[in-house]
Amino acid sequence: MSKQSKAKRDKRKKLQPKRPINRLNAQQSVQNHAVLTNEEGQVVAAIGLQGNEWLLAIGGQTMGNADNPVPMLAMLKHLSNVQEKEGRKVTLEYSTQLQQLIDDLAADEGTTADDYLTKLVSEFEGVEGEEGDDADDADSTAEDAAVADDAAAAEGDAAPAASDDKPQA
């Protein structure tokens, strides 16, 4: 090797155009497959495919990911129904690939795609109603306990009522 070979190599490197650095773990682009938009045309929520993973984004934030996008689509459909009940006009559009996936799952169950999706949406509506019932039950139980404590204190019982303030072991 000559004494000038390093200098020649360095000069050649400086003359080459700059290349972007390709990272092994580079982010793949997200392909939108379902988009929920409001009447102003703003995207409220979306389902996208990044590589092999389905992503759910609401309000510009990624909220979750899954291998199967159909439950996420049912959630967006439920959100659309709730928005329309509140008087807001929203539009849910989804891709032919997502529609084909729904068609395949519906065929496996022996129903139409609309019936299959409606069934999934109704499950979200059932969960919403159950949560409200549980909260009401908890409130009434707490009120009943408070009334019982007040009654015991008014009667002057020697034994104090059990308190929820004590830490559980």
Side-chain angles (χ1 to χ4, degrees):
M1 257 165 93
S2 70
K3 293 181 180 183
Q4 295 179 353
S5 62
K6 182 178 180 335
K8 288 179 185 178
R9 187 173 57 244
D10 289 345
K11 182 179 177 185
R12 192 173 5 134
K13 282 184 181 180
K14 284 184 181 181
L15 294 175
Q16 289 179 345
K18 297 287 181 192
R19 300 182 310 182
I21 297 173
N22 291 329
R23 305 243 185 250
L24 290 175
N25 218 0
Q27 286 286 336
Q28 297 173 336
S29 64
V30 177
Q31 302 167 346
N32 283 338
H33 282 271
V35 179
L36 181 66
T37 55
N38 63 11
E39 54 194 14
E40 289 90 31
Q42 297 171 330
V43 175
V44 176
I47 298 172
L49 181 63
Q50 184 177 30
N52 294 337
E53 194 169 52
W54 293 91
L55 303 174
L56 172 66
I58 299 175
Q61 299 277 330
T62 301
M63 295 301 194
N65 56 6
D67 295 331
N68 184 2
V70 177
M72 291 189 283
L73 181 62
M75 190 183 321
L76 288 186
K77 185 81 170 158
H78 173 67
L79 180 61
S80 171
N81 293 343
V82 169
Q83 293 291 317
E84 288 177 359
K85 284 179 187 175
E86 293 178 357
R88 297 183 190 102
K89 183 180 179 190
V90 292
T91 307
L92 178 62
E93 297 175 354
Y94 43 94
S95 69
T96 54
Q97 181 181 356
L98 198 51
Q99 182 63 49
Q100 183 62 45
L101 186 60
I102 296 167
D103 291 341
D104 292 344
L105 290 171
D108 290 345
E109 296 219 357
T111 64
T112 65
D114 290 335
D115 291 341
Y116 181 75
L117 194 56
T118 303
K119 176 185 162 197
L120 290 176
V121 170
S122 68
E123 290 176 9
F124 282 103
E125 291 169 354
V127 168
E128 186 176 278
E130 288 174 13
E131 287 176 0
D133 293 344
D134 290 344
D136 291 342
D137 291 344
D139 289 342
S140 65
T141 304
E143 289 172 6
D144 292 344
V147 168
D149 287 345
D150 291 342
E155 291 176 10
D157 287 343
S163 173
D164 291 338
D165 296 336
K166 295 178 185 175
Q168 298 291 325

